[in-house]
Amino acid sequence: MILIGMFDSPFVRRVAVAMELHGVSFEHRDWSVGRDFDHIREYSPLGRVPVLVLDDGEALTESAVILDWLDGQAAEGTSLLPPHGAQRRQALKLVGYATGAVEKALLQVMERVFRPAEKSHQPWLDRCHLQMRGALQVLDDACVEAGDADWLVGERIGLADITLACFCTYVRDAVPFDLDAFPALSARVARYEALPVLQKYYVPFDAPVPGAAAPAKD
């Protein structure tokens, strides 16, 4: 299989981590949505990452779609999302808030990098920041509730944990935003980021060059 996209994208990174946890090997194409836009569009007309090219040549786009496919291939009891019930709802809730936070972070980054300062609309930026903080507060509350438990949902690392780490690290590095404003969240992210599988696919955020294509959301 071929995974397309740079690991400083939180969406590409969480797919790579999930594939590692599933024991699925892949070839990596370190392509940028700016520099390599036309190459990416050969596999996905959207020109967004991640793209996972399967062994038969089918290309899957959107990290949520790829992750769903990976879980569908997993052996019973090894999926990263609980199959049903309250634990599944809790995991999806946390994934949803982490996704909301990173999407609002991306909008702030795009505004800073691509829009001329004289055209920046501060009330809109303030709204994005408020929404991001609101999502992070929910995640912090969940971390407080989890206490010393190794994982947020269940007895093994799951999609909620992976997404929390990848997305909140992007918020910290790219906005940038000091996660210490949310102590329980900050501590859990730091613990997750110390795991070898998270370290393996960590690449420091590299701000896009103004005038290049805007960063892909997913």
Side-chain angles (χ1 to χ4, degrees), residues 45-140:
L46 277 172
R48 287 173 26 167
V49 294
V51 179
L52 181 65
V53 184
L54 305 183
D55 289 336
D56 63 3
E58 180 183 1
L60 301 180
T61 63
E62 303 289 336
S63 62
V65 173
I66 297 170
L67 291 164
D68 181 73
W69 182 85
L70 288 168
D71 260 7
Q73 307 303 305
E76 185 175 354
T78 65
S79 62
L80 293 176
L81 263 178
H84 51 71
Q87 285 195 339
R88 183 179 180 86
R89 292 195 303 275
Q90 175 66 1
L92 287 172
K93 171 187 172 181
L94 297 177
V95 169
Y97 275 105
T99 302
V102 83
E103 286 176 346
K104 294 304 173 179
L106 276 163
L107 290 172
Q108 293 174 73
V109 172
M110 291 171 67
E111 183 81 2
R112 183 183 76 244
V113 174
F114 294 101
R115 189 181 296 276
E118 66 274 11
K119 294 185 178 180
S120 180
H121 185 55
Q122 192 60 45
W124 182 79
L125 275 173
D126 291 343
R127 179 184 177 89
C128 289
H129 191 79
L130 179 67
Q131 291 173 289
M132 182 187 75
R133 287 187 65 101
L136 294 174
Q137 182 64 66
V138 174
L139 298 176
D140 187 64

Side-chain angles (χ1 to χ4, degrees), residues 159-199:
L159 186 59
D161 308 295
I162 296 166
T163 303
L164 184 90
C166 293
F167 288 9
C168 290
T169 294
Y170 179 88
V171 168
R172 181 197 68 197
D173 293 353
V175 173
F177 179 81
D178 188 354
L179 290 178
D180 287 345
F182 300 98
L185 174 62
S186 179
R188 186 164 285 266
V189 169
R191 181 157 61 79
Y192 287 169
E193 288 291 359
L195 297 172
V197 68
L198 269 296
Q199 291 185 344

